[in-house]
Structures are given as C-alpha cells and as structure tokens.
Amino acid sequence: MGLGHFITLEGGEGTGKSTQIHHLLERLADAGIDAVRTREPGGSKGAERIRSLILEAGHSRFDPLTETLLFYAARNDHLEHVIRPALNAGKWVICDRFSDSTRVYQGGIGALQYSVLDQLDALVVHDTQPDLTLILDLPAEIGLARANARRGNSAADGFEAESIDFHRALRQAYLELARLNPNRCVVIDADGSVEEIAERIWRKVSERLLIVNSVQSNG
Ligand code: T5A
C-alpha cells in the first residue's frame, strides 16, 4: 500500500464541490501528487449506469430503501473498480460525494434509520473510509441559485426539486455530521470567490494530510 489518501467533498446542491475539486487537483499536481478524480453516484462504468437510474427518476424518486440500496450498489462497484485500486497503487483519490451523502440525504433528513445505513456501510465500504472530508457550507438559497443558473432550461433532478426547507435541513445535517466527526471532517466556508475557497481548502488539506505524508516519507 502506498501513501495514497482518500479525500471526499460533501455539501448541499451547488455548493461548489466540482469546481473546487478541479482546483484541488491542480494544487496537488503542482505538489507532485498523482490524484484520481471521481464522483458519486457514479465513478465507474457500472456505477454510472446506476446513477442514471437514480437521477433520471426525476420528481418521482424511488422509495427510500430502494434508493439507498441503489446508492450502495453503485458505491460497491465504484470501490471495487476505481477507489481501492487507486489507493492500493499509492494514488490519492478525490471523490465528489461519498457515504456521508447517503447518511445525510437518506438518513438525517430522509426516512432511513442510521442502524440500516451502518450495516450497509460496514458491508460495502468496510475500512475504505475517507481520511479527510471537506464539507462545503453555504446558505441553501445561494447554493440552489448557483445550481439553477448552471442548469439553465434543463429539468431539475429529484433532489434539486425538493423544497427550500429540505435544502436548509440538509445544511444543518452536514454541520451536525461535522460536529460528530471532528477528526475526519472539516467545514469549509463556501461563500466567496472560487479562488478564496480554493485557498481555504488547500490550507486544510496541507495541514491535515501533506504534513502527515512528509513525516511518513521521511520516517
Ligand atoms: N445523493 C448522492 C444522495 O442522495 N445520496 C448519496 O449517497 C449520493 C452519493 C447527485 C445527487 O444525489 C444525491 C445528492 C445530489 O442531489 P449531482 O448531479 O452529482 O447529484 O449533484 P451535486 O453533487 O449536488 O453537484 P452540483 O453540480 O449540483 O453541485 P457542486 O458540484 O457542489 O457545484 P459546482 O461546482 O458544479 O457549482 C455549481 C455552480 O456554481 C458555480 C459553478 O460555476 C456552477 O455554475 N460556482 C460558483 N459561483 C459563484 N461563486 C463561487 N465560489 C462558485 N463556485 C461554483
């Protein structure tokens, strides 16, 4: 096993995860670090097929258990074919959403009990847990406005189409998740220019992982 690290980005709709992953990869490349960019739901051939099933359900989402099993089926394929091989080869993996999305969307503000999610997580993710989770935090109104502006005239998916109260609750659920997992999660203020947020993220990644990496390589 090399010195790869697993970083996930989380947050509500339009908080800027995709935009920031692009900048993080550039900074890692400048630091000589080989990183794989991926996302959930999706990230592998099989998981991308499942992604279409989930998101193309449009306004009529699957029932909560079916939806959750689909997310975990996709995650299993993604872990097997992309995430674990990359980590085992010593690469860093930067993933746009992961299990915390299920915990927040299907658990915290959804209908599934955490005990069900814990069982699925133990079976599928097991010990391939993220080393660092960056939670991009933004008022729901700003995130939705960004997501709507980007989408233009195309239809909202079932999650984007939920009420503003759903998106506000989502933000609170992420903050609670961060509070309960301070060793792994860092909340990033996602209000500001793209460059300012990229700098905030880089500072945290450097503090949490690059220093650890240099200690390991020198040790
Ligand atoms: N889901 C997912 C679950 O319910 N359970 C699960 O287990 C998983 C894995 C996935 C949906 O599935 C749900 C959650 C989601 O609803 P998706 O299409 O992958 O759907 O959507 P998101 O992950 O939400 O991604 P988005 O593309 O909507 O948001 P991002 O990636 O956070 O935002 P980004 O970078 O695309 O930016 C959005 C817009 O804002 C602009 C960008 O240019 C872009 O136009 N922007 C800024 N504008 C101003 N200032 C800034 N600082 C900006 N940063 C970005």
Side-chain angles (χ1 to χ4, degrees):
M1 183 91 166
L3 294 176
H5 283 298
F6 184 20
I7 302 179
T8 57
L9 276 86
E10 293 279 356
E13 311 295 311
T15 45
K17 300 178 299 301
S18 313
T19 306
Q20 290 303 327
I21 287 177
H22 171 77
H23 288 270
L24 178 56
L25 285 170
E26 279 186 354
R27 300 238 188 173
L28 287 171
D30 289 346
I33 292 169
D34 194 7
V36 170
R37 174 186 190 152
T38 190
R39 68 165 180 186
E40 289 210 348
S44 62
K45 210 170 158 194
E48 287 291 330
R49 298 206 327 252
I50 300 172
R51 176 187 172 92
S52 305
L53 273 179
I54 301 169
L55 296 183
E56 286 168 13
H59 287 248
S60 55
R61 286 171 55 186
F62 286 103
D63 70 82
L65 182 58
T66 305
E67 187 178 80
T68 302
L69 291 171
L70 286 171
F71 277 120
Y72 266 99
R75 187 160 298 137
N76 192 52
D77 193 78
H78 187 206
L79 279 159
E80 281 303 302
H81 294 287
V82 175
I83 297 177
R84 289 192 185 110
L87 291 172
N88 287 337
K91 294 180 180 167
W92 289 40
V93 174
I94 317 297
C95 189
D96 191 340
R97 297 193 181 280
F98 193 61
S99 297
D100 291 323
S101 286
T102 321
R103 205 160 182 85
V104 165
Y105 281 76
Q106 281 69 46
I109 61 166
L112 276 209
Q113 292 183 342
Y114 288 131
S115 57
V116 175
L117 297 177
D118 287 342
Q119 286 177 47
L120 287 170
D121 211 71
L123 181 71
V124 172
V125 181
H126 193 51
D127 59 0
T128 315
Q129 300 291 342
D131 298 301
L132 176 64
T133 296
L134 302 161
I135 297 178
L136 271 56
D137 179 56
L138 193 64
E141 292 80 0
I142 301 179
L144 276 180
R146 285 185 189 171
N148 289 340
R150 188 207 39 205
R151 197 177 57 247
N153 290 331
S154 54
D157 67 38
F159 297 95
E160 288 169 341
E162 293 280 2
S163 71
I164 187 71
D165 286 344
F166 171 94
H167 293 284
R168 287 187 184 130
L170 198 59
R171 182 186 189 196
Q172 294 311 316
Y174 269 118
L175 292 175
E176 176 65 4
L177 181 93
R179 194 184 65 76
L180 293 173
N181 298 276
N183 291 335
R184 173 174 65 85
C185 298
V186 174
V187 176
I188 303 287
D189 176 3
D191 202 358
S193 71
V194 169
E195 294 71 25
E196 283 167 340
I197 300 159
E199 187 57 37
R200 287 172 201 152
I201 288 178
W202 184 243
R203 220 177 302 134
K204 289 296 173 191
V205 170
S206 307
E207 274 169 30
R208 297 262 183 149
L209 298 181
L210 287 179
I211 293 165
V212 170
N213 234 36
S214 88
V215 169
Q216 282 178 353
S217 342
N218 296 334

